[in-house]
């Protein structure tokens, strides 16, 4: 599986830790993030990861900033992106199973490296359950397209 990863200045250390961890597990990682702690604008990095998903050059994305909030807000503005902000594995599991999330967002100032590894493991191995969740995803696509009925 090919994973796009990006971060802002607040999350450089956690991004590098997760990147190395996932590469050791055999994932192919494409790093779109900054590699310094010099202040940058997170929407730029969220957009790079989302674009890679939209163009199907990667399978999933991981975005990390200080809280994860900014990255998740920026990512969820992109067509076809379902970004989930997760601070524990339970949310990551259901983000994949029920929402078919394709981007994981985390906060480097909120969770530690051990928790981040657990969250990534769950997010990258869980599958979308389909079934009664599928019509809900269609509704989300209709909202994006402006065709959702009242």
């Amino acid at each position: 599986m090919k994973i796009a990863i990006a971060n802002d200045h607040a999350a450089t250390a956690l991004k590098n830790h997760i990147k190395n961890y996932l590469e050791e597990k055999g994932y192919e990682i494409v790093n779109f993030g900054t590699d310094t702690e010099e202040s940058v604008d997170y929407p730029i990095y969220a957009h790079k990861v989302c674009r890679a998903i939209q163009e199907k050059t990667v399978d999933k994305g991981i975005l990390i900033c200080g809280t994860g909030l900014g990255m998740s807000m920026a990512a969820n503005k992109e067509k076809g992106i379902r970004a989930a902000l997760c601070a524990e594995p339970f949310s990551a599991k259901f983000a994949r199973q029920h929402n078919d999330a394709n981007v994981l967002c985390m906060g480097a100032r909120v969770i530690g490296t051990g928790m981040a590894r657990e969250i990534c493991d769950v997010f990258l191995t869980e599958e979308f359950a389909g079934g009664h969740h599928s019509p809900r995803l269609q509704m989300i696509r209709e909202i994006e397209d402006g065709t959702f009925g009242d």
Side-chain angles (χ1 to χ4, degrees), residues 14 63-64 67-69 72 82-96 99 101 103-108 110-112 115-116 118-120 122-123:
L14 183 57
L63 294 170
I64 313 169
T67 63
L69 291 166
S72 65
R82 291 173 307 281
L85 174 58
C86 300
E88 31 61 38
F90 184 83
S91 295
K93 176 180 179 177
F94 287 98
R96 289 288 309 128
N99 309 114
V103 175
L104 169 63
C105 299
M106 296 183 290
V110 177
I111 60 173
M115 182 60 69
E118 289 182 45
I119 293 166
C120 287
V122 170
F123 187 85

Side-chain angles (χ1 to χ4, degrees), residues 20-76:
N20 293 336
Y21 174 74
L22 294 176
E23 285 174 338
E24 288 172 8
K25 293 185 73 116
Y27 292 99
E28 183 179 350
I29 305 298
V30 181
N31 179 13
F32 288 104
T34 183
D35 289 317
T36 73
E37 293 181 6
E38 184 176 325
S39 184
V40 296
D41 299 316
Y42 61 83
I44 294 167
Y45 299 94
H47 180 69
K48 290 178 182 187
V49 166
C50 293
R51 180 64 54 154
I53 292 169
Q54 291 164 335
E55 293 173 352
K56 300 183 183 339
T57 59
V58 299
D59 300 300
K60 289 187 177 63
I62 298 173
L63 294 170
I64 313 169
C65 64
T67 63
L69 291 166
M71 287 289 203
S72 65
M73 288 178 190
N76 278 315

Side-chain angles (χ1 to χ4, degrees), residues 85-141:
L85 174 58
C86 300
E88 31 61 38
F90 184 83
S91 295
K93 176 180 179 177
F94 287 98
R96 289 288 309 128
Q97 287 183 359
H98 292 191
N99 309 114
D100 199 19
N102 50 12
V103 175
L104 169 63
C105 299
M106 296 183 290
R109 294 176 177 154
V110 177
I111 60 173
T113 57
M115 182 60 69
R117 287 191 305 267
E118 289 182 45
I119 293 166
C120 287
D121 287 342
V122 170
F123 187 85
L124 296 174
T125 57
E126 288 293 331
E127 297 291 331
F128 177 53
H132 68 280
H133 302 291
S134 295
R136 296 170 185 156
L137 293 185
Q138 179 58 37
M139 290 178 195
I140 291 171
R141 285 189 286 277

